[in-house]
Amino acid sequence: MQRQKWFTPYLLLFPGIAWVFVFALWPFMNTVVLAFTNARPLQTPDFVGLQNFRDLLGDDRFYYALTTSFVYVIVCVPLLTFLPLLLALLVQHRIPGIGFFRTTFYFPVIASAVVVAIVWEFLFSSTGTINEALKFFGMADRPIEFLSDRWLLIGCSIGLTVWKGLGYYMVVYLAALGNVGKELHEAAALDGAGKWRRFWSVTVPGVRGPMLLVAVLICVSAMRIFTELYVLSNGSGGPGGHAMSIVMMIRDIGKGLDGRVGYASAISLVLFVLTLVPLAIVGVSSNRDLISDALAARRTRRLVKAQQKAGHQ
């Protein structure tokens, strides 16, 4: 059998490593560098230190964008964590026609976010289906400006995000529910536990790991929301830009030949730090036992060293 060359594994790894470096690591490192400059397109950047971050603290638009992102996280995380689980419980049973319902629930996931947002805009515009229906049934004398009010616009965008994400996380929970033993439900039923009791005491603990993962994915996605708000507000970010997300603000500041690329990079760096928080939480929660063992071992080593030092004295 012919022996392979020593460089063969490295040759196979090179395309993947080059792809990650060119399209992930290098843009990230370049963004970090630009965050400390006053870079603009077609101009030589100058180092300004922390000036961009000081300007950020006094920028009202950033606080509006941060509020929008936090509201998105607070509302979307619980909704998209529990609703897909309930949906998965409904469609996990093998009954005639259940495949149709699974496909129907998953269809919004494969649909284009832009196309779905345009349909949503048609529904909630001042002359859209929702307002016409309210007017027809006599529930409103004049059109409700769903897309012209800050909080109504954010609410419509959250509704779109939840509706589009239900099917995706439903599939995640369907895979997790397959690992929850039926004997646990049977044992709980024999002990007299009702459906809700079995749900909270058997089902939820059985999918706790996937549930934590889903919550983190939703949190990161909500912090980086863009398409829904951009399309529903026609790129304006709502009245006065008060419904603008952080990603929309980055695009608005950095676009064009007069774009403040350095300032936009500073905002991008802040967004990166914010998205690290939920990832750190899930990392600590998943490795709680390992961290506890490591801390206990460290305390033991310190105690042994202290005893040895005292013995020598």
Side-chain angles (χ1 to χ4, degrees):
M1 185 174 63
Q2 185 179 3
R3 295 179 58 187
Q4 66 179 11
K5 301 295 184 180
W6 64 268
F7 55 81
T8 301
Y10 301 99
L11 187 63
L12 296 175
L13 287 173
F14 177 75
I17 295 175
W19 180 275
V20 171
F21 180 80
V22 172
F23 294 101
L25 293 180
W26 169 248
F28 173 74
M29 292 185 293
N30 188 48
T31 300
V32 173
V33 173
L34 291 176
F36 298 94
T37 67
N38 61 351
R40 291 178 181 268
L42 306 180
Q43 295 184 15
T44 302
D46 296 323
F47 180 78
V48 295
L50 298 176
Q51 184 60 45
N52 287 326
F53 298 94
R54 285 194 288 266
D55 294 342
L56 191 62
L57 294 176
D59 193 341
D60 291 337
R61 293 179 300 171
F62 175 71
Y63 291 108
Y64 285 125
L66 194 62
T67 301
T68 300
S69 298
F70 281 160
V71 169
Y72 235 93
V73 170
I74 292 171
V75 178
C76 285
V77 168
L79 288 179
L80 281 176
T81 300
F82 288 100
L83 288 182
L85 176 58
L86 298 177
L87 200 60
L89 290 172
L90 290 175
V91 302
Q92 71 170 339
H93 303 289
R94 295 184 178 180
I95 59 177
I98 195 63
F100 169 78
F101 290 100
R102 290 181 179 179
T103 304
T104 303
F105 292 142
Y106 191 77
F107 178 76
V109 179
I110 62 177
S112 170
V114 176
V115 173
V116 174
I118 292 175
V119 173
W120 215 262
E121 182 184 11
F122 174 77
L123 291 174
F124 287 96
S125 65
S126 58
T127 58
T129 306
I130 303 297
N131 274 310
E132 290 297 324
L134 293 175
K135 182 180 178 181
F136 178 80
F137 289 106
M139 300 176 65
D141 297 331
R142 59 179 182 175
I144 300 176
E145 299 296 336
F146 289 104
L147 305 182
S148 299
D149 179 82
R150 178 190 181 188
W151 296 111
L152 290 178
L153 173 60
I154 294 174
C156 292
S157 181
I158 290 175
L160 171 57
T161 302
V162 171
W163 178 74
K164 196 174 185 310
L166 278 175
Y168 177 80
Y169 297 112
M170 177 196 70
V171 173
V172 175
Y173 281 126
L174 278 174
L177 288 172
N179 297 323
V180 180
K182 293 183 179 179
E183 61 277 3
L184 296 176
H185 285 277
E186 294 173 356
L190 290 175
D191 290 338
K195 292 184 178 180
W196 278 108
R197 183 63 179 175
R198 294 200 304 271
F199 172 75
W200 288 110
S201 300
V202 179
T203 303
V204 172
V207 297
R208 183 173 298 167
M211 184 179 290
L212 182 60
L213 175 62
V214 166
V216 171
L217 291 176
I218 297 168
C219 185
V220 174
S221 299
M223 292 294 298
R224 298 168 56 246
I225 197 67
F226 174 77
T227 304
E228 291 88 335
L229 282 171
Y230 183 83
V231 175
L232 290 179
S233 66
N234 290 321
S236 65
H242 291 174
M244 186 177 293
S245 66
I246 296 179
V247 179
M248 286 182 64
M249 182 180 177
I250 293 172
R251 177 194 176 277
D252 187 64
I253 291 176
K255 70 178 181 180
L257 295 178
D258 294 330
R260 300 173 61 188
V261 179
Y263 189 45
S265 299
I267 304 175
S268 301
L269 196 57
V270 172
L271 178 60
F272 171 73
V273 174
L274 290 175
T275 55
L276 282 181
V277 175
L279 297 177
I281 292 175
V282 70
V284 172
S285 301
S286 301
N287 300 280
R288 186 181 305 169
D289 294 336
L290 293 176
I291 295 174
S292 299
D293 294 341
L295 293 176
R298 185 178 180 183
R299 287 194 296 267
T300 302
R301 288 195 299 267
R302 287 183 176 180
L303 181 60
V304 170
K305 288 182 180 179
Q307 291 175 349
Q308 291 176 351
K309 185 176 180 181
H312 288 306
Q313 291 178 352

